């Protein structure tokens, strides 16, 4: 995750800056930083949904042929489900990740057609592919890894966050999500946020 932020994220932001400055007078870095975050979080949620649906479909195939549709979700023994999840994780090769990346690259614009036009997708292509790879590898863990990015407007907490270019006691906007081993699990990587300083209570009327 940190390698993506240091490499593909930086390259995508630079590509977007060049794209914007070719057509716009005033460049708004914050807008593109938040766009890159939304790309990652959208792909993560798509992967999370697809990974769950994938397991549900495999469970149904264990009971009936694919041509037979059943409405309920079959109850598959936990031990067998674990073996299936382990098999999926162990056989997640580079070719599988490449196919998944191309799939999300093609389908992502449908989630945000106003902001994700062809030129933007081209500028962010390598970043999008890496986000798909990271997200899929996270969601197929057992239990799945988690992301948290809803920090805007909250208190800056150094134990779970680090500053982008400005520090402060409050979060102005989020740049990169916090990563956790699983839901309510250990922190794997801190969130990167833009801080801002707010006026402390009791100081307003002090001279």
């Amino acid at each position: 995750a940190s390698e993506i932020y240091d490499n593909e994220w930086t390259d995508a932001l630079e590509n977007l800056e060049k794209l914007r400055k070719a057509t716009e007078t005033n460049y708004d870095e914050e807008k593109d930083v938040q766009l890159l975050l939304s790309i990652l979080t959208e792909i993560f949620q798509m992967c999370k949904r697809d990974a769950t649906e994938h397991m549900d479909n495999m469970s149904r195939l264990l009971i009936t042929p694919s041509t037979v549709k059943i409405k309920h979700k079959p109850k598959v023994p936990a031990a067998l489900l674990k073996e299936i999840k382990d098999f999926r994780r162990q056989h997640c090769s580079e070719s599988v990740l490449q196919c998944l990346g191309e799939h999300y690259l093609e389908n992502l614009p449908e989630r945000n057609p106003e902001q994700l036009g062809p030129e933007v997708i081209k500028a962010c292509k390598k970043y999008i592919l890496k986000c798909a790879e990271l997200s899929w590898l996270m969601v197929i863990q057992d239990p799945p890894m988690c992301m948290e990015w809803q920090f805007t407007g909250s208190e800056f907490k150094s134990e779970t966050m680090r500053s982008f270019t400005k520090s402060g006691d409050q979060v102005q906007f989020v740049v990169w999500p916090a990563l956790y081993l699983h839901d309510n699990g250990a922190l794997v990587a801190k969130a990167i946020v833009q801080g801002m300083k707010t006026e402390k209570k009791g100081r307003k009327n002090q001279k």
Side-chain angles (χ1 to χ4, degrees):
S2 60
E3 289 181 2
I4 296 174
Y5 176 73
D6 291 337
N7 298 306
E8 285 81 9
W9 183 92
T10 301
D11 291 343
L13 187 61
E14 290 178 355
N15 291 341
L16 288 174
E17 182 178 358
K18 292 176 184 176
L19 179 63
R20 308 300 191 194
K21 286 184 175 179
T23 56
E24 299 175 7
T25 305
N26 299 316
Y27 174 61
D28 186 352
E29 183 185 60
E30 179 183 341
K31 182 180 176 181
D32 280 336
V33 165
Q34 295 199 52
L35 176 61
L36 292 177
L37 175 65
S38 72
I39 287 173
L40 172 59
T41 56
E42 283 287 352
I43 290 175
F44 179 75
Q45 291 176 97
M46 290 165 73
C47 285
K48 190 175 180 180
R49 178 204 65 202
D50 290 346
T52 300
E53 185 177 333
H54 185 214
M55 290 303 301
D56 289 346
N57 288 339
M58 284 195 288
S59 296
R60 289 185 175 91
L61 285 172
L62 291 171
I63 307 299
T64 62
S66 59
T67 53
V68 177
K69 305 296 181 182
I70 55 175
K71 295 181 179 180
H72 68 281
K73 180 182 175 181
K75 291 184 178 181
V76 178
L80 180 55
L81 276 178
K82 185 179 185 311
E83 286 189 26
I84 295 173
K85 290 177 181 179
D86 289 346
F87 182 88
R88 178 174 65 175
R89 187 177 64 254
Q90 292 164 7
H91 291 78
C92 188
S93 62
E94 288 186 12
S95 60
V96 170
L97 291 173
Q98 183 178 353
C99 291
L100 285 164
E102 293 293 341
H103 170 76
Y104 292 117
L105 182 68
E106 181 180 349
N107 288 274
L108 183 62
E110 297 177 5
R111 311 277 288 199
N112 188 358
E114 291 185 3
Q115 288 187 293
L116 298 176
E119 290 184 337
V120 172
I121 291 295
K122 183 179 179 181
C124 301
K125 181 177 179 179
K126 290 183 179 179
Y127 173 70
I128 292 170
L129 293 175
K130 279 294 183 178
C131 285
E133 179 180 324
L134 169 66
S135 296
W136 187 256
L137 289 173
M138 287 181 65
V139 300
I140 65 171
Q141 301 305 309
D142 189 22
M145 296 179 69
C146 296
M147 285 185 186
E148 176 58 51
W149 58 90
Q150 303 293 344
F151 300 122
T152 299
S154 66
E155 178 186 357
F156 180 89
K157 296 181 179 180
S158 59
E159 60 269 23
T160 57
M161 306 172 190
R162 62 187 179 96
S163 299
F164 179 46
T165 59
K166 296 179 182 179
S167 60
D169 59 309
Q170 193 170 353
V171 177
Q172 182 178 349
F173 61 87
V174 181
V175 179
W176 193 255
L179 307 183
Y180 293 90
L181 193 59
H182 53 79
D183 190 22
N184 295 319
L187 179 70
V188 175
K190 291 183 178 182
I192 301 172
V193 303
Q194 186 76 310
M196 63 178 179
K197 294 180 180 179
T198 58
E199 193 171 29
K200 298 294 184 181
K201 292 181 179 179
R203 292 185 179 180
K204 185 175 180 181
N205 298 320
Q206 289 182 5
K207 296 181 180 179

